[in-house]
Amino acid sequence: MKGSFTRPREDGAVMPSSGSFFAASLGLHVEASFEGGRLQTLRITDAPAARGPPEGERERGVLARIARHLETGREDLRDVEVDLTGVPPFQRRILEMLREVPPGATLSYGDLAKRAGSPGASRAVGGAMARNPVPIVVPCHRVVPTGKSLGNYSATGGVATKRALLALEGSRF
DNA sequence: CGTTCGGCGCTTA
DNA sequence: CTAAGCGCCGAAC
């Protein structure tokens, strides 16, 4: 038998797909994978596995908006549907709250912790950021330490990537 | 500036 | 099941 239903359907239902584009503002590629039309992972990388647009109209639309954000720094990605199943409860809550933070704004790890009802869990918030499956769309780059530094960023490019993203959005730091 | 130490959620042993 | 270790912190020296 031939496995699961992954061929295209007229209603555009379940269909895994992935694609990537080069983001000049980062000097890196951005690769996304979709499951059932929802964004499941986003990778910032210098070596994408899949090049070019993904399969599916919806998927291409989402990727195009992400690309647009990386040009203008102003795209509102809050309504992009993401798949956070598999992310542990606390981390998931944190990621969901973080989604509401718009381009140009920043907040601290402690702020997020407090907002989640666990003041003192700032370091655990850092852990949630480090494991964010969909950076940029869930804007973990907008979370900075209390004080003047940019803190860390574990995606490809490290703090340089974080700085580029914040600069693009016009954040001051 | 740097160093230490407490605290939290999660993973792994 | 408990225990130890780790990480995009934060506050206090």
Side-chain angles (χ1 to χ4, degrees):
Chain A
M1 159 140 46
K2 204 147 186 261
S4 55
F5 236 102
T6 54
R7 73 185 164 73
R9 299 202 305 186
E10 289 167 17
D11 61 354
V14 184
M15 191 181 150
S17 147
S18 61
S20 72
F21 63 90
F22 180 74
S25 57
L26 301 181
L28 291 166
H29 297 260
V30 171
E31 177 167 31
S33 75
F34 298 86
E35 183 82 34
R38 299 160 74 206
L39 180 64
Q40 195 165 55
T41 69
L42 187 150
R43 268 193 341 132
I44 299 169
T45 175
D46 46 17
R51 298 218 184 196
E55 204 64 36
E57 199 62 34
R58 223 163 133 195
E59 289 83 346
R60 282 193 290 276
V62 169
L63 206 53
R65 291 177 60 197
I66 295 168
R68 180 175 164 77
H69 179 68
L70 292 175
E71 293 166 11
T72 68
R74 296 178 178 231
E75 186 76 9
D76 182 355
L77 300 172
R78 281 179 296 182
D79 65 317
V80 170
E81 293 188 47
V82 299
D83 179 9
L84 296 180
T85 54
V87 177
F90 175 82
Q91 300 184 353
R92 185 167 173 166
R93 270 198 356 263
I94 295 294
L95 295 180
E96 280 164 358
M97 290 184 210
L98 176 57
R99 287 205 75 182
E100 299 309 312
V101 177
T106 60
L107 76 175
S108 73
Y109 296 92
D111 288 339
L112 265 182
K114 186 151 203 170
R115 209 182 287 187
S118 301
S122 51
R123 201 161 179 183
V125 168
M129 300 303 103
R131 288 158 203 120
N132 176 11
V134 285
I136 301 176
V137 173
V138 171
C140 58
H141 58 282
R142 294 178 195 145
V143 186
V144 295
T146 307
K148 273 301 162 196
S149 97
L150 279 186
N152 286 314
Y153 196 69
S154 52
T156 302
V159 289
T161 297
K162 190 172 188 174
R163 184 181 303 108
L165 287 166
L166 290 173
L168 193 65
E169 300 175 358
S171 294
R172 18 163 120 158
F173 41 88

